[in-house]
């Protein structure tokens, strides 16, 4: 694959400036997109250097630390979008994210890919990043929608609406894949020279993982919420 120069890379931000202008004009918030973009650049450059080190080390303790760090940060970012920022609520989110993510990650690593070792960095780290980021996004939608709906209706109806809302992006992506878009992992593999039919198998695995991780995280969260409402 050809290397993207820094100048060419900067051109990709031109449409983002357009979005930022209207985001600021209509919401009066000029920092959200700027801060998110700057953090994205810094975080990706940093992780790029870290991955060089991580991929050379097969120390299981390093892998456990990285996965736990992902869980903690993903849960914290999910909590950021909610009204209830208590420790109890954070723990509920943490439990939902970790249960969903770890179940799917273990299934993929241990049984689908059948890796020789439980921890192989070049597989585990990217897959963990995908599953926990997806879980975080889905759960953020579920929690945010639930908090709004519970103010005007009962628990059962609020849960139904919130659960369905958080699954819309996941279901849409399954319906559109291959017809509207070639997803990121499949596109990356094809660009790097992998046989498209092999790339398709990996993408099917990822799509199943993202849908199930999103759904399980919401289910665990609402089961925990149900216990509190019953009390």
């Amino acid at each position: 694959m050809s290397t993207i120069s820094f100048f060419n890379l900067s051109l990709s931000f031109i449409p983002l400036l357009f979005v930022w202008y209207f985001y600021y004009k209509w919401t009066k918030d000029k920092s959200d997109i700027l801060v998110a973009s700057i953090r994205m650049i810094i975080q990706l450059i940093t992780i790029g250097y870290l991955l060089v080190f991580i991929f050379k080390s097969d120390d299981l303790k390093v892998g456990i630390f990285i996965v736990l760090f992902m869980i903690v940060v993903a849960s914290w970012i999910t909590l950021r979008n909610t009204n209830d920022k208590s420790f109890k609520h954070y723990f509920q989110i943490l439990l939902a994210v970790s249960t969903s993510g770890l179940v799917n990650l273990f299934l993929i690593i241990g049984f689908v890919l059948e890796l020789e070792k439980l921890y192989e960095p070049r597989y585990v780290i990217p897959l963990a990043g995908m599953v926990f980021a997806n879980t975080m996004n889905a759960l953020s939608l579920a929690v945010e929608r639930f908090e709004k709906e519970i103010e005007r209706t009962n628990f059962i109806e609020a849960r139904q609406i919130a659960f369905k809302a958080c699954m819309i992006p996941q279901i849409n992506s399954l319906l559109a894949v291959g017809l509207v878009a070639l997803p990121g992992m499949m596109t990356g593999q094809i660009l790097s020279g992998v046989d498209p039919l092999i790339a398709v198998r990996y993408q099917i695995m990822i799509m199943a993982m993202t849908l199930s991780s999103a759904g399980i995280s919401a289910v665990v969260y609402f089961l925990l919420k149900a216990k509190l409402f019953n009390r």
Side-chain angles (χ1 to χ4, degrees):
M1 295 179 64
S2 60
T3 302
I4 303 174
S5 69
F6 284 110
F7 173 75
N8 289 354
L9 185 61
S10 66
L11 298 178
S12 62
F13 286 89
I14 293 176
L16 188 58
L17 292 174
F18 176 81
V19 175
W20 171 82
Y21 171 75
F22 282 96
Y23 188 85
Y24 168 57
K25 186 176 181 180
W26 291 347
T27 68
K28 306 304 179 185
D29 189 331
K30 62 182 179 182
S31 63
D32 265 4
I33 290 180
L34 289 176
V35 171
S37 299
I38 293 171
R39 277 189 55 176
M40 176 269 293
I41 294 170
I42 294 174
Q43 288 165 191
L44 284 178
I45 291 175
T46 303
I47 196 61
Y49 283 105
L50 284 175
L51 286 176
V52 174
F53 162 75
I54 291 169
F55 286 175
K56 291 179 180 178
S57 171
D58 59 356
D59 189 341
L60 181 59
K61 294 189 290 295
V62 174
I64 292 173
F65 172 79
I66 294 171
V67 170
L68 290 177
F69 180 79
M70 288 180 178
I71 293 172
V72 170
V73 173
S75 303
W76 178 80
I77 294 174
T78 302
L79 184 72
R80 174 180 173 271
N81 300 305
T82 70
N83 295 324
D84 181 6
K85 292 181 169 49
S86 65
F87 178 78
K88 180 182 287 187
H89 194 209
Y90 175 76
F91 182 74
Q92 292 173 345
I93 292 172
L94 182 73
L95 194 57
V97 170
S98 58
T99 301
S100 173
L102 292 175
V103 165
N104 280 276
L105 192 61
F106 179 75
L107 177 66
I108 295 298
I109 293 170
F111 297 95
V112 178
L113 295 179
E114 293 184 326
L115 300 181
E116 293 182 2
K117 295 186 294 184
L118 185 62
Y119 177 61
E120 292 189 28
R122 69 189 186 95
Y123 287 100
V124 175
I125 302 305
L127 288 173
M130 288 182 191
V131 71
F132 289 119
N134 177 76
T135 302
M136 172 189 70
N137 291 332
L139 195 57
S140 293
L141 289 174
V143 175
E144 191 271 343
R145 188 63 180 268
F146 176 78
E147 288 184 338
K148 285 183 168 54
E149 295 297 330
I150 199 65
E151 294 176 357
R152 68 175 188 84
T153 186
N154 59 62
F155 175 83
I156 300 298
E157 187 175 345
R159 180 181 63 186
Q160 177 185 0
I161 295 172
F163 189 37
K164 189 170 184 177
C166 82
M167 297 298 288
I168 287 175
Q170 317 301 327
I171 294 173
N172 282 352
S173 65
L174 263 66
L175 294 173
V177 65
L179 299 176
V180 179
L182 295 179
M185 184 175 189
M186 180 178 172
T187 301
Q189 288 184 313
I190 292 173
L191 288 175
S192 63
V194 174
D195 186 329
L197 294 178
I198 295 177
V200 162
R201 297 185 190 184
Y202 275 86
Q203 192 58 53
I204 291 172
M205 176 190 75
I206 294 300
M207 300 299 285
M209 181 181 72
T210 55
L211 182 64
S212 59
S213 63
I216 292 173
S217 66
V219 168
V220 172
Y221 176 79
F222 287 128
L223 288 176
L224 294 172
K225 278 291 181 184
K227 290 185 177 181
L228 292 176
F229 274 84
N230 289 337
R231 289 175 186 173

